[in-house]
Amino acid sequence: APSASAKKANPTPEAMLPVARDNFKRWNDALQTKNPKTVASLYSNSELSFLPTVSPEHIKKIDSTQEYFEAFVLKNPFGTITDDSVAVVDNGNGYLHSGMYTFELGEGDARAPVAARFSYVWRKFAGDWKITHHHSSVRPAQPDMLDLARTNFNKWNDALQTKDPKTV
């Protein structure tokens, strides 16, 4: 039998992924309440780094987290993860959950999707999962590869017209 002092091995990312998705669901469900205090209660009081999607601020206090969500919940957000992964830390007492999600924002027919990137660090405090880091940013648009190819072809073609090998 292993000794009591033997370190517990980290759970695998595959084993932690359902926990991460459950915690994301808790967070998304909290948004549906439209109660900023309910959402903010999922964030750590003592260790916090929050870089929200639609704020220029780096939020480090729970009060500021609640203030941010006062406006955000009015947009009727609903998030759906489209791609994600997990890295386990601290013997399973924490994990990094990162990936892509799409938020539906707005009212009725005016709802619009917003594709974004995310990262959360969740840590256990007295057996309760809390967010200690959250970063979300709108996903940059993909470049128009056809337009880029045409532009590069035209530059190359113009260079050929000079009949100067150095220009080509």
Side-chain angles (χ1 to χ4, degrees):
S3 70
S5 63
K7 287 193 173 187
K8 187 176 102 179
N10 273 351
T12 65
E14 294 77 18
M16 191 60 87
L17 191 57
V19 173
R21 288 177 177 164
D22 285 347
N23 279 333
F24 176 81
K25 183 179 181 323
R26 284 178 50 220
W27 181 80
N28 201 33
D29 289 348
L31 290 175
Q32 306 317 300
T33 70
K34 297 189 179 16
N35 183 334
K37 189 172 186 172
T38 300
V39 182
S41 73
L42 296 173
Y43 290 76
S44 170
N45 287 329
S46 59
E47 303 172 20
L48 182 60
S49 175
F50 180 23
L51 298 162
T53 309
V54 292
S55 170
E57 302 299 320
H58 179 198
I59 296 171
K60 299 176 188 173
K61 303 259 186 239
I62 200 74
D63 293 347
S64 301
T65 301
Q66 186 172 326
E67 286 173 22
Y68 170 79
F69 283 112
E70 286 172 5
F72 189 70
V73 297
L74 297 177
K75 298 174 188 221
N76 298 312
F78 185 85
T80 303
I81 294 173
T82 56
D83 181 51
D84 63 343
S85 62
V86 170
V88 181
V89 297
D90 193 22
N91 295 319
N93 290 313
Y95 63 86
L96 166 66
H97 186 202
S98 60
M100 307 287 212
Y101 49 24
T102 300
F103 268 91
E104 293 287 332
L105 301 172
E107 297 279 343
D109 292 343
R111 284 184 74 73
V114 177
R117 303 175 287 193
F118 71 85
S119 63
Y120 294 89
V121 173
W122 290 77
R123 297 187 64 79
K124 269 190 185 175
F125 293 92
D128 192 21
W129 288 107
K130 295 286 186 179
I131 299 166
T132 59
H133 167 81
H134 179 188
H135 175 245
S136 182
S137 59
V138 173
R139 192 172 71 206
Q142 296 285 347
D144 181 341
M145 296 310 289
L146 181 58
D147 185 53
L148 183 61
R150 283 184 178 138
T151 298
N152 286 337
F153 176 81
N154 287 337
K155 285 180 184 176
W156 176 73
N157 198 35
D158 290 346
L160 285 175
Q161 301 309 312
T162 69
K163 298 184 177 42
D164 178 1
K166 288 182 182 177
T167 302
V168 175

